[in-house]
Amino acid sequence: MNLSKKKISRLISIIGILFIAYKVIDFTYYYTFNGNDDIHFLKIEESKNHNYEEIFQLDELKNKYVYATLNNRADWKDFREDINSMKMLQKKYNKQNLIFLYTADDINGFFNEYEWKKLIKKYDLKGYHINLPQGYEWNLQYSRKTDSGTVTSFPKYMIISNKGKIIKKSATRPRNAERLIFELDSIMN
């Protein structure tokens, strides 16, 4: 089959147009995704200086135990390793007084709403989601001693009481499900 330069050029143009159309549809779908029965988006006022205790007092979280996942863009690769375990935990605690809260901390302005919602939908992350404004301060950092000195870090997972208070500032990761189930059951019972 002998294709002329004109036909090849037209074919490349058509492929380019289809790719652009796909990207526009993809962007529109995820950007306008506002949740469903299992995925809920919570909003906080950007102008207000929040602290984590105020977030845990939101009406949607009141009187519930909360397993909170604190993420920023850099953490998503690591978090993906926990997703299957997280889904198993969600099934186990489906009818109980425990909800799952995922936060995205837009630490460097890279974690835009489109990317955030696309990851939520792609991995079917059931629960409540908050995309924190850029510059949001959790004030949750803590120091720990290591062989090479003191390291300041932030918790990735927390357990919140049904009164909105932090029970466990550095909870077990979902991939260590047996230990986490023990922690959650002992706190909730």
Side-chain angles (χ1 to χ4, degrees):
M1 181 158 116
N2 190 6
L3 294 175
S4 69
K5 288 183 180 181
K6 194 174 186 179
K7 286 182 180 179
I8 291 172
S9 178
R10 246 188 269 155
L11 184 60
I12 290 171
S13 295
I14 290 170
I15 290 170
I17 290 168
L18 289 173
F19 179 76
I20 291 169
Y22 165 76
K23 284 300 193 182
V24 167
I25 291 167
D26 180 66
F27 176 81
T28 303
Y29 174 74
Y30 289 110
Y31 190 76
T32 59
F33 176 65
N34 290 318
N36 56 36
D37 289 343
D38 297 320
I39 297 173
H40 310 277
F41 295 102
L42 303 176
K43 295 209 181 275
I44 58 173
E45 297 174 36
E46 288 191 37
S47 61
K48 186 176 179 188
N49 284 335
H50 291 281
N51 62 45
Y52 56 89
E53 289 164 335
E54 289 177 286
I55 288 179
F56 301 141
Q57 295 297 326
L58 290 171
D59 288 342
E60 294 86 351
L61 308 179
K62 281 188 178 174
N63 301 317
K64 304 274 187 193
Y65 288 93
V66 177
Y67 183 68
T69 303
L70 314 176
N71 284 309
N72 62 46
R73 184 176 170 83
D75 295 329
W76 273 95
K77 181 181 177 195
D78 192 41
F79 174 71
R80 280 189 285 245
E81 296 174 17
D82 286 327
I83 289 175
N84 288 336
S85 300
M86 185 72 82
K87 289 181 180 204
M88 181 272 302
L89 290 166
Q90 288 176 335
K91 285 180 185 173
K92 175 176 177 33
Y93 292 102
N94 185 32
K95 301 289 184 197
Q96 296 185 31
N97 198 26
L98 175 70
I99 60 173
F100 293 83
L101 173 67
Y102 303 88
T103 65
D105 187 354
D106 192 3
I107 243 169
N108 296 313
F110 295 122
F111 207 65
N112 66 42
E113 189 170 355
Y114 162 72
E115 291 172 335
W116 176 58
K117 287 183 175 182
K118 188 171 183 175
L119 287 170
I120 292 167
K121 187 80 171 135
K122 178 180 178 180
Y123 293 108
D124 192 31
L125 297 176
K126 295 179 171 107
Y128 291 83
H129 300 268
I130 299 176
N131 191 4
L132 301 171
Q134 188 172 358
Y136 185 91
E137 293 293 330
W138 271 104
N139 298 325
L140 292 173
Q141 64 192 24
Y142 60 96
S143 297
R144 58 187 168 86
K145 300 278 185 194
T146 66
D147 292 338
S148 57
T150 302
V151 176
T152 301
S153 52
F154 294 86
K156 302 273 193 244
Y157 300 93
M158 293 191 314
I159 300 173
I160 315 306
S161 76
N162 56 354
K163 306 287 187 231
K165 301 293 180 196
I166 296 174
I167 296 173
K168 191 145 175 108
K169 190 174 188 177
S170 188
T172 301
R173 299 182 68 109
R175 68 181 77 164
N176 192 345
E178 192 173 301
R179 182 173 163 200
L180 178 56
I181 288 168
F182 177 79
E183 282 180 13
L184 290 169
D185 288 348
S186 64
I187 288 169
M188 292 175 23
N189 294 325

